[in-house]
Every structure is written in structure tokens, then in C-alpha cells.
């Protein structure tokens, strides 16, 4: 399965979910997608019309590599950094599946997800 990653806001594209140069830094967890981004779009060669939207915090970054073989498109949104209209995003990407993937601490204390969903 081939894929490419588009960091939408940063206007950066790559063919890997990993940034190995980050292993030389203090925060090696940023190996996964280079850290947190408002929107990350992963397009694959899978033609099954499954388009997944993940509402996430940083803990999801290490899990996403296990998902990409099963979807045509995965859109990751980090509500802590995303400020645009979520309904437009859902429509533009033809989203048909959703996943909320958070650490328990973030899910209980952070209000950015509820703010995004209520906007």
C-alpha cells in the first residue's frame, strides 16, 4: 500500500509518516508526523472509498500508521490547533467514518474538542 501525507496548513507533502531526523532531538515522539498539526491528510492507493476523520491529540500520532492500509483517505484534526469549519472539512473530504482518539487526560480536561464540535 502506497500513501502520501499532506500537512495542509503548512503546505508540506511527504511520502512518509515518520520524520527520522526527530530521533536526534530531545522530543523523539515527534518521529510520528513531526509532531502536532491542525490538519494532516493521508491519501493511499486503497480504492475502497473509506474516508476516516480522526479527532485527536498527540497520542494518536503513533497509532495512525496501523490504520492507513484500511482507508483510502485519513484526515487527522487536532482541535487544539484547528479553527476552521469542521462541517466544511467533513463535506470536502467526503468523510464517512469517524474516530475520536485521545489520552484520557486530554479527553477529560481539554475543551478544544467541544468548542470545535459546537462551532
Amino acid at each position: 500500500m502506497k500513501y502520501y501525507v499532506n500537512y495542509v496548513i503548512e503546505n508540506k507533502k511527504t511520502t512518509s509518516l515518520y520524520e527520522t531526523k526527530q530521533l536526534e532531538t530531545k522530543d523523539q515522539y515527534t518521529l510520528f508526523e513531526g509532531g502536532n498539526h491542525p490538519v494532516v491528510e493521508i491519501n493511499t492507493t486503497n480504492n475502497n472509498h473509506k474516508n476516516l476523520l480522526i479527532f485527536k491529540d498527540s497520542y494518536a500520532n503513533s497509532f495512525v500508521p496501523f490504520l492507513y492500509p484500511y482507508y483510502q483517505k485519513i484526515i487527522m484534526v487536532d482541535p487544539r490547533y484547528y479553527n476552521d469549519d469542521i462541517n466544511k472539512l467533513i463535506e470536502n473530504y467526503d468523510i464517512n467514518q469517524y474516530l475520536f482518539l485521545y489520552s484520557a487526560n486530554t479527553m477529560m480536561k481539554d475543551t478544544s474538542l467541544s468548542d470545535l464540535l459546537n462551532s
Side-chain angles (χ1 to χ4, degrees), residues 64-105:
V64 169
F66 295 103
L67 295 175
Y68 83 85
Y70 303 99
Y71 292 92
Q72 183 171 334
K73 189 175 301 246
I74 297 174
I75 308 301
M76 299 188 305
V77 171
D78 191 327
R80 298 170 297 173
Y81 309 107
Y82 185 77
N83 299 316
D84 291 332
D85 186 338
I86 196 65
N87 292 312
K88 282 184 182 178
L89 182 136
I90 291 168
E91 185 178 319
N92 289 342
Y93 286 109
D94 195 25
I95 299 297
N96 50 39
Q97 295 186 19
Y98 302 86
L99 176 63
F100 293 84
L101 194 55
Y102 286 87
S103 66
N105 189 42

